[in-house]
Amino acid sequence: HTCRHTCRHMAQPSLRRALRGLLVLLSCGLWYHSSPADSVMVEATPEDLLVVGAGYLGRRVAQLWREKSKVKVVAATMTEKSHEALRQEGLEPILASDLKASKLKFSQVVFCAPPSRGEASDYAKSVTDALEHLAEGGIGVFTSSASVFAEDSGNSVDESGALSDSSSAQRMLAAEEAAQRGGSAVLRLAGLY
């Protein structure tokens, strides 16, 4: 079955619509069945999801996916600070450093981690590293931001809109390119907070 969805930035998108879009993108994936050699910690099933960046958006995506399919959702974080809360929510936390060292593969990977204040290449590398855990034929989604657009007067924009030359926009655009090179969809979100 073929899935074709176009994600457009709109002047006032809702979080619910963005989350629904993420779930649609993920549910259109080709399923991957892992073998024992593919994982170090646990064997992923075809419906399992890796969420990199379990903050507000990442947790919400994880919760909706888990409610939809009652499968394992692994949430990668930089520190263990939120791990107990993630476990209580039915998610399986993992440190990003442990994930990077593992051979875990997932048929769905959503990257929701915000950029740090470092170099653009560091953030793009984080995206590339996360996508190494995407199984062949799987679906990856990078949650970017509408802040990459130069428009800041409240007017509507679409994918052809002028891009910002700010350092934060350039960091995000470099990460978008890394995601696309890795075969992932880029979803530019707005109005999340």
Side-chain angles (χ1 to χ4, degrees):
H1 126 269
T2 304
C3 194
R4 295 182 186 166
H5 294 277
T6 302
C7 301
R8 296 195 181 272
H9 165 66
M10 297 167 52
Q12 298 177 341
S14 71
L15 178 58
R16 186 181 309 263
R17 186 178 5 206
L19 291 172
R20 198 172 319 133
L22 282 171
L23 291 173
V24 166
L25 283 171
L26 291 172
S27 66
C28 291
L30 300 174
W31 299 129
Y32 172 81
H33 295 280
S34 64
S35 68
D38 291 332
S39 77
V40 171
M41 297 165 57
V42 291
E43 185 173 326
T45 67
E47 295 82 12
D48 288 343
L49 169 68
L50 169 64
V51 175
V52 179
Y56 177 74
L57 177 62
R59 274 177 128 145
R60 189 69 181 124
V61 169
Q63 290 164 351
L64 288 172
W65 188 257
R66 191 155 156 30
E67 289 171 11
K68 175 185 178 266
S69 51
K70 304 290 184 206
V71 297
K72 176 177 49 215
V73 177
V74 176
T77 62
M78 295 299 290
T79 69
E80 292 181 351
K81 190 169 95 174
S82 62
H83 283 197
E84 187 54 39
L86 291 169
R87 281 186 198 93
Q88 290 175 3
E89 294 172 23
L91 309 177
E92 295 187 20
I94 187 171
L95 285 172
S97 58
D98 292 341
L99 175 66
K100 187 174 180 177
S102 78
K103 293 181 181 178
L104 290 171
K105 295 287 184 181
F106 297 85
S107 54
Q108 285 84 215
V109 174
V110 177
F111 190 97
C112 298
S116 65
R117 300 206 186 279
E119 294 293 319
S121 60
D122 295 342
Y123 188 51
K125 175 83 167 90
S126 295
V127 172
T128 300
D129 289 348
L131 292 176
E132 288 179 7
H133 298 283
L134 182 62
E136 186 176 332
I139 295 290
V141 177
F142 173 69
T143 58
S144 185
S145 169
S147 67
V148 300
F149 294 109
E151 172 57 49
D152 63 1
S153 301
N155 295 318
S156 295
V157 296
D158 63 20
E159 293 85 1
S160 64
L163 300 174
S164 172
D165 60 358
S166 72
S167 62
S168 62
Q170 294 305 306
R171 191 170 21 256
M172 193 63 74
L173 289 167
E176 286 184 5
E177 289 177 22
Q180 290 173 329
R181 277 193 309 273
S184 291
V186 172
L187 195 59
R188 289 180 176 161
L189 305 176
L192 294 178
Y193 303 102

